[in-house]
Amino acid sequence: MAFDLNTRQDTPTAQAASVAWHSLPLEAVLNQWEVDGDRGLSPETARDRLERYGPNALAASQCRSALGLWVEQFISWPVGLLSVAALLSVATGNPIDAVVIMGVVVINAIIGYTTESQSERIIRALQDELPPTALVRRDGQDLTLDATQVVPGDLLLLRAGQAVAADARLVDSDRLALDESALTGESLPVTKQPGQLAEDVPLADRCNLVFKGTLVTRGVGQAIVVATGTDTEIGQIQALVNSTDTLDTPLQQQLGRVSGQLVLLCSGVCAGIFAVGALRGYGLLHTLKIAISLAVAAVPEGLPAVATTTLALGIQAMRRHKILIRALNAVETLGAVQVVCLDKTGTITANHMAVQAVALGQGDVPVVAVDLPGLAITTPAFDRLLTAAVLCNESQVLPGLEGDAQIQGSATENALVALALESGIAVDSLRQRFPLVALTPRQEDRMLMSTLHRTATGEGLVAVKGSPSQVLERCSHWLVNDQVMPLQGADRHALKLRNQTMANQALRVLAIGDRPLEAAPALDSLAPTHYEQDLIWLGLVGLADPVREEVPDLIAAFHRAGIDTVMVTGDQRSTAKAIGEQVNLGRNGELAIVDAYDLAALTDGDRHALTHRIDIFARITPADKLLVVRTLQSAQKVVAMTGDGINDTPALKAANVGLAMGSGKADGVHDVADVIIQDDNLGTLIDAIAQGRTIYTNIRKAVHYLLATNLSEIVVVAVATLVGLGEPLNAIQLLWLNLVTDIFPGLGLALEPADPTVLEQSPRPANEPIIKTSDFGRMAWEASVISVAALGAYGYGLSQYGAGIAASTIAFMGLTLAQVLHALTCRTETRLPPGRSPLAPNPFLAVAVVGSLALQLLPLAIPALGDILHITPLALGDYGVIAVAALVPLAINAVTKPGAKN
């Protein structure tokens, strides 16, 4: 399988990237890249290839620019409708009206821009870190380079703690292991070794390749770079992300639908008025002014401001809980979530190994997670096991900030050292008391590690850990109740059963043993075959990536809230099942599991049918995760996806809500997420969902209030025009109604306290309109009641003063006060049932109502403002009529509200 390095297709390395490097003989790889496997590339060749293939960097994420964020605030139907009304106002010689309308549009845009730009800045700050470097060998010299300078054919030198700079084929390795969880989802480190593999080996099993973005946890190695930049596995995942479209949120869709309906309503009303004006012989300018008044009345100018401000306040509240929301609408979408797809590694689990169980000769030890306090076990048998586990261990304890120890090494050995530290063992002092004489590492044909140590009295001590079956073969005794006893056949059988029981719990099980040696000055001359016999069995240690403490309660809370939970993981079926059972993932008893092989064999129809029954998708690739999300969405589900690795990014972007853990700093994770949980506390997600549901419910109340009151304005103006009663309200009065007095009660309704049962209700259907058909009937009734009262007050004014400013003032004041008080009726959709506790106080609404009433009376006290609004002071009896016009609709609408359903 040869290719021409000088041939270019879509990209300079298009042909190279398509080669199955894991299946080629190593010599063929070296020949393909014309590289010396010992000395590496020459500097000249490296320069040529850097020019040919470009920097080893992924395409920069397209951040939302400040200009783009600003422009986005103006792209909506309500803003478009308001802009048309402003243009018509200018065309008819009313520039003040236009300025007021567009002023509200700009204020709304400033609120949205400020909130979203703050979130963008915080998210970018999470990703700021030093540029990565790479250790390479060129012309026989070891060099540390900026990772972007690595080229195909470079000889990478791999060391523990380093991030891999590019995809590369192993040339040599010594106990090399890598953490590939960010790429494959596998939580355990993967052992790497040179060799040739079959061409159809899955990505997660390609043990002769290392991949860009993964981390070396143990050992050393050398590898030839075979792909850089966008041609790496991470680069291909990024390409999948870029080709994935995002969907509008449910609120965006619903407000868009309502806005479209308003356009039709406005057009129809204006056309009708024009027709009536023509029949009655009204002048064109006069008719156009009336039409503009109706257009202003039809558009709830306060709606964008109310929605934007409510969502912005929701973002601020979530920020206090360490949850960053990238876009305003993501807050509301959280409340509509029907399915949560949970990535296992790093989301359900902590993405680090920890000791979960210890089985000594006399029984089990109740081990807790090593990052939690409270482990206090001081039995001699347990101390002896921990001593052997620390001595037969290459992890190092490094000083950390504020005295916290930092452990560096492989995940498994780190977990053993962490358990020892938590149990009060001074690791460094212990190792000084038992200096290392010899170390025999674990190998493929020898699944155990042993170390030989010298004691303070000059004797020897052997410590062993590894495969339970192989350690057991080398043991002649075991420690039972702190006494060394001979191992009998029945004892060996019991230990094998115990090992199997722990393995069935998805634990990685290690056996620990030791052997004291008599005084032997020449300990370093002893062969492992000599001292790895007649060992004493100390116990079994079960390790796993522990489940986050908050996850079981969170899963239960999801289920109570009617939200389905699905695990998507790259782990094996057995591991995924054990974790699913541990967190009670399934809602219907037995867990239903599908792996990638089963998924690939299904038709679209079969996958669609399975979406309602599958709890776990195992052995999943990034493309499979994307397919799972898309399949759930095709079933009209609102899907949230959690993740922390580059392998999660396509699904994160495609989901209705992409949730990234704060520690997920892999390339691209924070770039595509809608929500970032800064402190990795997934438990706060349920609070965010409750906030989202409350916000949506409150926006529904505000929309109901604004549309009902705006409809009453349309009825008053239209009826008066059709009947020939003159002009009860002019355009500037309608603007005052919609922008000054209506907006504050609307905001007060949008800040209603949460219903205590909000997380005991099922999520709303994805296609449920924000205004239901039944709501239109109720709004029409409420608007009619308010309109009749206002027209009655206007009729009184006509009878007392004739058509003019006084009658218009009575109609204006009566209608405005009725609308403000109507906010009190809109707090609930139904009457409270008998015995139900009263609604929780809403001080925001109380202040809004009182403030709006004060604002409405202000023009009567300030003549200049009254002149702008075309109103005049009235006689005392007129105010009584206005009070009746305001209070009667409040009472009628309250008592005619439908009763609550049982």
Side-chain angles (χ1 to χ4, degrees):
M1 182 185 298
F3 67 89
D4 181 1
L5 290 175
N6 296 310
T7 300
R8 297 190 178 203
Q9 292 184 350
D10 296 334
T11 65
T13 53
Q15 287 186 323
S18 65
V19 176
W21 295 107
H22 59 281
S23 65
L24 292 180
L26 180 58
E27 192 64 29
V29 177
L30 297 174
N31 291 337
Q32 295 279 26
W33 290 111
E34 302 172 357
V35 59
D36 186 320
D38 295 321
R39 295 183 59 81
L41 297 175
S42 67
E44 294 78 14
T45 302
R47 281 195 299 270
D48 290 344
R49 291 191 180 174
L50 183 61
E51 182 179 352
R52 179 186 303 171
Y53 301 124
N56 174 36
L58 301 178
S61 301
Q62 295 184 349
C63 307
R64 295 195 296 175
S65 65
L67 179 61
L69 276 175
W70 177 249
V71 171
E72 284 179 15
Q73 310 308 317
F74 296 92
I75 303 175
S76 68
W77 275 109
V79 171
L81 290 172
L82 292 177
S83 300
V84 170
L87 289 174
L88 288 175
S89 296
V90 172
T92 56
N94 295 284
I96 294 178
D97 295 6
V99 170
V100 174
I101 293 173
M102 294 313 297
V104 171
V105 171
V106 172
I107 291 172
N108 174 62
I110 291 173
I111 294 172
Y113 173 80
T114 302
T115 304
E116 293 191 20
S117 61
Q118 284 178 349
S119 292
E120 285 290 325
R121 284 195 297 272
I122 296 173
I123 290 167
R124 293 298 162 201
L126 290 175
Q127 298 171 296
D128 289 342
E129 50 189 28
L130 295 175
T133 60
L135 184 61
V136 303
R137 181 172 296 159
R138 288 182 179 173
D139 210 14
Q141 294 186 343
D142 295 351
L143 306 172
T144 299
L145 305 175
D146 188 308
T148 60
Q149 303 301 302
V150 172
V151 299
D154 256 329
L155 182 60
L156 276 183
L157 305 181
L158 306 172
R159 302 289 184 268
Q162 289 183 344
V164 179
D167 290 2
R169 170 70 181 270
L170 278 175
V171 175
D172 188 24
S173 68
D174 181 15
R175 292 178 291 131
L176 182 66
L178 278 79
D179 177 1
E180 295 184 343
S181 59
L183 180 64
T184 66
E186 290 278 8
S187 55
L188 291 175
V190 180
T191 300
K192 298 288 184 175
Q193 58 187 359
Q196 185 176 351
L197 302 173
E199 187 170 347
D200 59 352
V201 172
L203 178 69
D205 297 330
R206 295 176 188 174
C207 60
N208 61 357
L209 293 178
V210 294
F211 301 104
K212 178 179 174 66
T214 59
L215 181 69
V216 180
T217 61
R218 183 189 67 207
V220 296
Q222 298 179 10
I224 297 297
V225 174
V226 295
T228 59
T230 56
D231 292 308
T232 61
E233 291 294 333
I234 280 184
Q236 294 177 37
I237 292 175
Q238 187 189 54
L240 185 61
V241 172
N242 294 336
S243 66
T244 301
D245 296 326
T246 54
L247 302 176
D248 283 344
T249 69
L251 184 61
Q252 287 174 318
Q253 296 169 4
Q254 298 304 328
L255 289 181
R257 187 175 295 119
V258 169
S259 299
Q261 293 167 343
L262 287 175
V263 170
L264 294 176
L265 174 64
C266 181
S267 301
V269 171
C270 290
I273 291 299
F274 262 101
V276 171
L279 292 175
R280 290 184 174 274
Y282 292 163
L284 177 62
L285 183 60
H286 179 68
T287 306
L288 188 57
K289 286 184 176 181
I290 295 175
I292 291 172
S293 298
L294 286 172
V296 172
V299 179
E301 287 86 351
L303 179 56
V306 168
T308 301
T309 304
T310 305
L311 295 172
L313 291 173
I315 285 181
Q316 297 291 345
M318 289 297 95
R319 200 173 288 165
R320 290 193 291 272
H321 292 284
K322 301 294 185 182
I323 295 179
L324 296 181
I325 310 291
R326 167 170 268 118
L328 291 176
N329 289 313
V331 180
E332 174 273 331
T333 311
L334 278 169
V337 167
Q338 297 165 310
V339 181
V340 176
C341 293
L342 298 161
D343 175 57
K344 183 188 78 69
T345 305
T347 302
I348 293 179
T349 64
N351 197 20
H352 68 78
M353 296 296 289
V355 176
Q356 301 293 297
V358 176
L360 302 176
Q362 70 268 36
D364 294 347
V365 175
V367 177
V368 299
V370 297
D371 57 346
L372 299 176
L375 186 62
I377 301 170
T378 58
T379 65
F382 186 61
D383 286 345
R384 184 167 173 175
L385 179 142
L386 288 179
T387 297
V390 167
L391 294 178
C392 188
N393 195 309
E394 293 183 274
S395 289
Q396 299 297 314
V397 180
L398 306 176
L401 297 175
E402 300 179 359
D404 292 333
Q406 304 294 315
I407 307 173
Q408 184 179 78
S410 72
T412 299
E413 294 191 332
N414 286 353
L416 295 173
V417 171
L419 179 62
L421 290 171
E422 189 72 21
S423 301
I425 291 180
V427 173
D428 288 339
S429 298
L430 179 64
R431 289 173 172 173
Q432 290 173 7
R433 287 189 287 115
F434 296 93
L436 180 66
V437 175
L439 184 151
T440 307
R442 175 181 178 274
Q443 298 174 356
E444 290 304 313
D445 59 346
R446 183 179 174 280
M447 304 296 287
L448 58 84
M449 169 184 174
S450 69
T451 53
L452 178 61
H453 304 265
R454 191 183 303 278
T455 68
T457 59
E459 297 175 329
L461 176 64
V462 180
V464 177
K465 75 171 188 298
S467 164
S469 61
Q470 295 197 17
V471 172
L472 186 59
E473 289 175 359
R474 291 167 171 78
C475 289
S476 59
H477 294 73
W478 66 327
L479 193 65
V480 181
N481 296 324
D482 301 329
Q483 295 184 359
V484 178
M485 306 289 291
L487 264 173
Q488 307 296 332
D491 301 328
R492 293 179 184 275
H493 180 69
L495 291 176
K496 290 178 181 178
L497 289 178
R498 189 68 183 92
N499 170 48
Q500 187 60 47
T501 299
M502 294 174 70
N504 290 341
Q505 297 170 354
L507 298 176
R508 183 182 186 187
V509 186
L510 296 176
I512 309 291
D514 71 6
R515 177 189 174 188
L517 297 177
E518 297 180 356
L523 283 176
D524 53 357
S525 65
L526 295 178
T529 54
H530 173 77
Y531 57 74
E532 287 181 353
Q533 302 298 323
D534 296 324
L535 300 174
I536 300 172
W537 177 279
L538 300 180
L540 293 167
V541 176
L543 303 99
D545 184 3
V547 169
R548 293 179 183 272
E549 182 184 12
E550 69 274 12
V551 169
D553 290 340
L554 178 65
I555 297 296
F558 280 144
H559 292 169
R560 286 195 299 272
I563 299 172
D564 293 329
T565 50
V566 176
M567 183 197 299
V568 287
T569 177
D571 275 335
Q572 301 282 353
R573 179 190 291 252
S574 59
T575 302
K577 181 180 180 182
I579 296 296
E581 291 174 343
Q582 189 174 344
V583 300
N584 298 317
L585 189 69
R587 301 183 66 181
N588 302 312
E590 185 70 19
L591 290 173
I593 305 175
V594 167
D595 61 28
Y597 304 107
D598 300 328
L599 193 64
L602 297 175
T603 64
D604 290 341
D606 292 336
R607 282 194 293 267
H608 185 87
L610 282 173
T611 55
H612 303 285
R613 302 198 301 269
I614 301 302
D615 300 300
I616 298 174
F617 292 89
R619 299 298 288 172
I620 294 294
T621 67
D624 293 329
K625 288 184 180 181
L626 176 60
L627 179 61
V628 169
V629 169
R630 286 299 194 211
T631 302
L632 289 167
Q633 289 174 331
S634 70
Q636 303 302 311
K637 300 288 187 180
V638 178
V639 182
M641 173 73 197
T642 68
D644 69 336
I646 187 67
N647 62 317
D648 303 316
T649 51
L652 284 173
K653 183 177 180 181
N656 300 91
V657 184
L659 301 129
M661 307 304 286
S663 60
K665 293 186 179 180
D667 290 334
V669 177
H670 289 169
D671 293 330
V672 301
D674 302 297
V675 179
I676 296 174
I677 303 174
Q678 279 184 284
D679 60 358
D680 284 355
N681 181 11
L682 197 62
T684 57
L685 178 56
I686 196 68
D687 297 326
I689 289 175
Q691 179 91 15
R693 290 185 176 186
T694 300
I695 285 174
Y696 180 82
T697 300
N698 289 347
I699 288 178
R700 262 182 52 82
K701 294 176 183 177
V703 170
H704 182 109
Y705 167 74
L706 292 172
L707 293 184
T709 53
N710 277 44
L711 183 58
S712 68
E713 298 163 19
I714 295 173
V715 172
V716 169
V717 174
V719 168
T721 303
L722 292 172
V723 177
L725 296 178
E727 188 178 3
L729 301 169
N730 57 46
I732 196 68
Q733 288 173 341
L734 288 168
L735 283 172
W736 176 271
L737 271 168
N738 291 350
L739 302 180
V740 179
T741 54
D742 280 4
I743 192 170
F744 297 113
L747 280 172
L749 285 171
L751 296 175
E752 275 285 309
D755 185 338
T757 65
V758 67
L759 288 177
E760 298 173 9
Q761 304 165 14
S762 297
R764 68 180 188 273
N767 57 355
E768 178 184 274
I770 193 167
I771 299 297
K772 305 173 188 175
T773 303
S774 59
D775 294 332
F776 284 108
R778 181 63 195 172
M779 285 189 295
W781 166 258
E782 293 169 353
S784 298
V785 172
I786 294 172
S787 301
V788 168
L791 286 169
Y794 182 57
Y796 164 82
L798 290 175
S799 67
Q800 294 294 316
Y801 305 105
I805 189 172
S808 177
T809 299
I810 293 173
F812 174 55
M813 298 295 290
L815 179 61
T816 304
L817 297 183
Q819 288 186 355
V820 171
L821 295 177
H822 185 60
L824 302 176
T825 306
C826 293
R827 292 191 66 190
T828 62
E829 296 183 15
T830 59
R831 295 193 308 274
L832 293 178
R836 165 78 184 269
S837 57
L839 296 174
N842 183 351
F844 301 103
L845 181 59
V847 170
V849 169
V850 172
S852 295
L853 293 175
L855 281 173
Q856 184 60 25
L857 298 175
L858 198 61
L860 297 175
I862 302 177
L865 184 56
D867 291 342
I868 294 175
L869 291 174
H870 304 291
I871 64 175
T872 185
L874 301 168
L876 184 62
D878 299 335
Y879 291 111
V881 173
I882 292 172
V884 171
L887 293 173
V888 169
L890 175 65
I892 293 176
N893 284 329
V895 299
T896 58
K897 187 180 294 186
K901 295 180 180 180
N902 294 328

